[in-house]
Amino acid sequence: MSESGPAADGGAGGGPADAGGVRSMVQRWKMDGAPARARLLLRALAWLFSLLALVVMASNQHGGSQDFREYPEYNYCLGISIVAWLYATAQVLRDVHRLGSGRDLIAARKASAVVDFAGDQVVAYFLISAMSAAAPVTDYMRQAADNLFTDSAAAAISMAFFAFVAIGLSALVSGYNLSMEALV
Amino acid sequence: MSESGPAADGGAGGGPADAGGVRSMVQRWKMDGAPARARLLLRALAWLFSLLALVVMASNQHGGSQDFREYPEYNYCLGISIVAWLYATAQVLRDVHRLGSGRDLIAARKASAVVDFAGDQVVAYFLISAMSAAAPVTDYMRQAADNLFTDSAAAAISMAFFAFVAIGLSALVSGYNLSMEALV
């Protein structure tokens, strides 16, 4: 939150051991540079937005035809939100582990960069596809009646779009990392 | 068509000047290597499929409600097919010019690689979005009636999907080229 540097971050830790752990993590953080930090932030945003998308969509059951399970587009959107959330969870945990220990769960740096890039790409394609499929049916229903069901669907679709933006930008950073790997 | 090398290609040219032009083009072609050839092929495929998508969709007018202009999803799909076709045309012309003259229309190699990568990415996202939006309404209509209108729409959507696959793979090659640029 504050921009006052590692001293302030270290002071935020509880005991001396905590402060040391936080400090070493912050050091690695700084060493990894802006792209790694930006990508972790983008993946955390994608995690948040895909979680919101799946929770809002999965709870969108108001009886009768106002149930997301009645519409294949909404099932698709929910399924892809779950996939995106699992992917973002795995990647955030991997990024945090890498920043904490300095070691990657995937041993080869080049392979790791390729997995990052391919994964971000595929999940971004799935998310834009899912939200594009779910948008028209929502639009048709809102022309007839604007209620809690359609509003919740629109909210879930918007969250899926924000998750797409975050993962798509993360794919750009992964592409940049992949090109940096070519230098090693 | 034949795999017998530059001699056979040179022999296919008309006069001596033609043969020299073809030979020098084939030399550059070989120098640029497999990625450049693969990408030109992928972009030519994307050009073909996006042209088919836009022609099939634009001619899908059979009177009454069987008119693509009645459905916003189909208008979106047509619009994106036109954008993708214009993009593929420009990129194929640029690739051919580059292979013929050895010079790129965009002077800086790094900037050229970034434009390739960003353009392929954005067009791929638009194509998957357009075909995902148009697919559900076609599916609903085909559950009620399976006629020339819905078949043509399905064909146009399939062509847009193939164009997406070609441009998406071209984006991977562009990403590879971008990482090779980092080596220069």
Side-chain angles (χ1 to χ4, degrees):
Chain A
M1 200 121 11
S2 88
E3 293 287 336
S4 50
D9 291 333
D18 259 10
V22 168
R23 191 166 293 129
S24 100
M25 194 163 163
V26 167
Q27 286 299 324
R28 290 183 196 287
W29 181 279
K30 294 221 168 285
M31 269 159 27
D32 266 293
R37 269 175 289 165
R39 195 172 59 177
L40 178 51
L41 180 66
L42 287 169
R43 282 172 170 171
L45 285 176
W47 181 87
L48 177 67
F49 286 128
S50 54
L51 179 62
L52 284 173
L54 85 86
V55 166
V56 172
M57 189 59 92
S59 63
N60 200 10
Q61 304 173 21
H62 305 286
S65 72
Q66 298 201 350
D67 189 324
F68 80 92
R69 286 170 294 190
E70 297 286 315
Y71 303 90
E73 298 91 339
Y74 290 164
N75 283 312
Y76 178 43
C77 196
L78 176 63
I80 296 297
S81 299
I82 292 170
V83 169
W85 182 69
L86 290 175
Y87 175 77
T89 306
Q91 286 285 26
V92 166
L93 289 177
R94 209 179 123 217
D95 278 351
V96 168
H97 176 267
R98 182 160 42 192
L99 288 168
S101 73
R103 279 176 300 123
D104 199 340
L105 295 176
I106 300 174
R109 285 176 64 89
K110 185 90 182 179
S112 158
V114 170
V115 166
D116 275 333
F117 181 62
D120 286 358
Q121 283 277 78
V122 168
V123 172
Y125 285 136
F126 272 125
L127 276 170
I128 188 86
S129 168
M131 67 131 302
S132 298
V137 68
T138 312
D139 195 41
Y140 282 124
M141 282 195 283
R142 288 185 107 172
Q143 281 171 12
D146 206 350
N147 51 35
L148 186 58
F149 176 67
T150 57
D151 281 354
S152 298
I157 292 165
S158 305
M159 291 303 119
F161 178 71
F162 291 141
F164 155 72
V165 171
I167 287 278
L169 290 175
S170 165
L172 290 186
V173 178
S174 294
Y176 171 80
N177 269 359
L178 191 59
S179 66
M180 287 303 107
E181 281 310 307
L183 283 167
V184 180
Chain B
M1 201 115 19
S2 88
E3 293 287 337
S4 51
D9 290 334
D18 258 12
V22 168
R23 191 165 292 130
S24 99
M25 194 162 162
V26 168
Q27 286 300 323
R28 289 183 196 288
W29 183 279
K30 293 218 170 287
M31 269 161 23
D32 265 293
R37 270 176 288 164
R39 195 172 59 178
L40 179 50
L41 180 66
L42 287 169
R43 281 172 171 170
L45 285 176
W47 181 87
L48 177 67
F49 286 127
S50 55
L51 179 62
L52 284 173
L54 85 85
V55 166
V56 172
M57 189 58 94
S59 62
N60 200 9
Q61 303 174 19
H62 306 285
S65 71
Q66 297 200 349
D67 189 323
F68 80 91
R69 286 171 294 190
E70 297 285 315
Y71 303 90
E73 297 92 340
Y74 291 164
N75 284 311
Y76 179 43
C77 197
L78 176 63
I80 296 298
S81 299
I82 293 171
V83 168
W85 182 70
L86 290 175
Y87 176 77
T89 306
Q91 286 286 26
V92 165
L93 289 177
R94 211 180 121 215
D95 278 351
V96 168
H97 176 266
R98 184 160 39 191
L99 288 168
S101 72
R103 279 176 300 122
D104 199 341
L105 294 175
I106 300 174
R109 285 176 64 90
K110 185 90 183 178
S112 158
V114 169
V115 166
D116 275 332
F117 180 63
D120 286 357
Q121 282 277 77
V122 168
V123 172
Y125 284 136
F126 271 126
L127 276 171
I128 188 85
S129 168
M131 68 131 302
S132 297
V137 68
T138 313
D139 194 43
Y140 282 124
M141 280 195 285
R142 289 185 106 173
Q143 282 171 12
D146 207 349
N147 51 34
L148 186 59
F149 176 67
T150 57
D151 282 354
S152 298
I157 292 165
S158 305
M159 292 301 120
F161 178 71
F162 292 141
F164 155 71
V165 171
I167 286 278
L169 290 175
S170 163
L172 290 187
V173 178
S174 294
Y176 171 80
N177 270 0
L178 191 59
S179 65
M180 289 301 107
E181 281 310 306
L183 284 168
V184 179

